[in-house]
Each structure stands twice: as C-alpha cells, then as structure tokens.
Amino acid sequence: MHTRALVLFSGGQDSTTCLAHALSRCEHVETLAFDYGQRHRIELDQRLAVLRALRARFPAWSARLGEDHLIDLAVLGQVSDSALTRDTAIEMARAGLPNTFVPGRNLIFLAFAGALAYRRGLDMIVTGVCETDFSGYPDCRDDTMKAMQLALSLGMDRRLLIDTPLMWIDKARTWQLAHDLGQQAGAAGGGDALVRLIVEHSHTCYLGERGTPHDWGHGCGACPACALRAAGWARWREAARPSA
C-alpha cells in the first residue's frame, strides 16, 4: 500500500487534478516543482495560488497537504534548445516533435523526485503525463514511466510507485475527473468546486498569458497547451449538457 505521495506539481490543469487525485487517496501528500529556466515564471507563481485555494476550499484535504518543494534546475534550460526555454515561435521541429519538447525533462524531474521522496519517506510519485491528448513527447509515454519506476526502485533499493492517473484519458475526461474528485471531497460547491479552482487559478499556457479568462481558464487561447485545454473543456461541457 502506498500512502505517502510526492506530486510533481507545476500549477497547471493536469498537475492540479493529479494533486487532488493524490489527496483523495493518500494520508500525506507533498508537492514538488522545478525552476528550469522556463521562458515565463507565471506557472511558478500560480502554483502557490492553487495551493492556497486548495487549503482554503477543501478542509479535508488541507490536513493531508504537507510541505511544498522547489528545486532549481536552471542547468536544464542551459542545455536545451526549446520554445519553453527560449523566446522563439512554437513550431514543429525536424524530428517530428514540436519545439516545445525539452529533451530529458521528465527523466530528470523523476530522478530528482525519487531522491527527494527517498529523503522524505514518501513511497509514491504522482505525475500528470498522458499518452492520449499530448504532443507526442516520448518522455510522457507509459513505457517511459514504467522504465523509470523500475530504475528508481532498483537505484534506491526501495519500491517506489510512479502513479500516472491521466495516462489514458483525454482532456475532456480530465475535466470530468476534477469534477468527480471535487464532489468526493465534500467541499462547498460540490463537484464544481475543484473545476472552478482550476479555471480561476491554474496556468497551462506556453506563452504565459494571464489576461481576461476564457470559460476554461487563463491563457493565450492559441498555443498547443491552450488548444488542448479549450477543446477538452468544450467536449466535456457538451457531454454534460442535458439532452433535449
């Protein structure tokens, strides 16, 4: 049984849903983010707003939510040539992947998360990687996660689980999962409580836009991250609409 979790928490829609997933199942949950020289710091600021809102709106979860950690990985930004670490237009690269791909990012994140989990006595790492609505990043694949789980468990000589609750669901089902988790938490506002929190406070936009919010939250509305989030919202709302 894995009851003590470390959530890779960027402050976006996916990682906020993963944090709620962990809080609904584990007795103790800590959060971890990385400053890797990303082109904007809005997500690092917004993740703190999400944590404050979770503590205030979900009392049952607040008691389980432990320490937050931020690790400086600026060296990753120095060695990567990506639209997430350079002020350049987002486009498809020659390798068939978008130039938002940061090679090795998730592998490095998980290695540091494993070391922190070992020190903190945590037995599960939760991450929002997904093979359904995603940009084709090879370090988000299920096979990659299984390989990293084995490597970390062997290297730490301790069974460490990598939990990927979003791996096989699309963005519409991610919105539904957030709704379900909010309802299960018994917070004021029922199932809509967590959805509203994600819309108001989370940040996923690659360009760091934080202006007038859309129905689905803040963002430029045009980058791949915003497009996925908006399309998922539209599909979810359409599915939730009562039939005539």
Side-chain angles (χ1 to χ4, degrees):
M1 296 295 293
H2 297 83
T3 61
R4 295 175 57 81
L6 178 64
V7 179
L8 271 62
F9 180 61
S10 69
Q13 175 190 357
D14 290 350
S15 66
T16 301
T17 305
C18 285
L19 177 55
H21 164 85
L23 288 167
S24 70
R25 288 161 172 75
C26 299
E27 61 186 27
H28 179 79
V29 178
E30 299 186 12
T31 49
L32 170 63
F34 300 93
D35 184 350
Y36 61 94
Q38 50 267 62
R39 64 192 286 177
H40 61 78
R41 298 184 58 84
I42 290 178
E43 65 178 15
L44 295 178
D45 296 332
Q46 284 307 124
R47 63 186 297 278
L48 299 178
V50 172
L51 289 174
R52 288 193 296 269
L54 273 172
R55 291 184 185 279
R57 301 183 193 182
F58 294 87
W61 288 350
S62 181
R64 304 179 189 181
L65 186 54
E67 190 170 339
D68 177 53
H69 309 270
L70 178 65
I71 294 179
D72 183 352
L73 278 182
V75 66
L76 181 57
Q78 295 171 21
V79 301
S80 67
D81 185 13
S82 164
L84 293 191
T85 57
R86 301 281 190 273
D87 187 9
T88 186
I90 297 173
E91 59 187 10
M92 291 300 294
R94 292 179 181 177
L97 291 171
N99 64 349
T100 52
F101 176 53
V102 182
R105 180 179 63 169
N106 284 336
L107 307 181
I108 294 169
F109 284 1
L110 288 169
F112 275 87
L116 180 62
Y118 184 95
R119 178 170 66 85
R120 299 287 298 173
L122 309 173
D123 51 27
M124 178 165 61
I125 298 172
V126 184
T127 177
V129 294
C130 169
E131 241 190 83
T132 306
D133 274 352
F134 83 134
S135 299
Y137 300 164
D139 60 354
C140 289
R141 295 172 181 162
D142 186 54
D143 285 347
T144 303
M145 294 300 110
K146 289 176 179 175
M148 284 300 295
Q149 176 176 286
L150 178 59
L152 289 174
S153 295
L154 290 173
M156 306 286 179
D157 197 23
R158 177 182 297 176
R159 176 159 171 72
L160 187 64
L161 174 68
I162 296 181
D163 185 26
T164 57
L166 311 184
M167 180 59 74
W168 306 116
I169 66 176
D170 61 16
K171 281 292 186 291
R173 291 175 63 193
T174 301
W175 283 114
Q176 183 61 50
L177 176 60
H179 185 276
D180 294 344
L181 290 167
Q183 187 165 357
Q184 293 167 16
D192 291 331
L194 185 59
V195 172
R196 284 199 303 271
L197 186 152
I198 291 171
V199 168
E200 293 168 7
H201 297 296
S202 72
H203 187 87
T204 306
C205 175
Y206 284 160
L207 301 184
E209 294 290 338
R210 192 95 192 145
T212 303
H214 306 270
D215 291 344
W216 44 267
H218 294 267
C220 70
C223 75
C226 284
L228 281 173
R229 183 168 175 169
W233 173 271
R235 293 196 307 271
W236 176 58
R237 298 305 297 168
E238 179 64 27
R241 183 178 303 165
S243 57

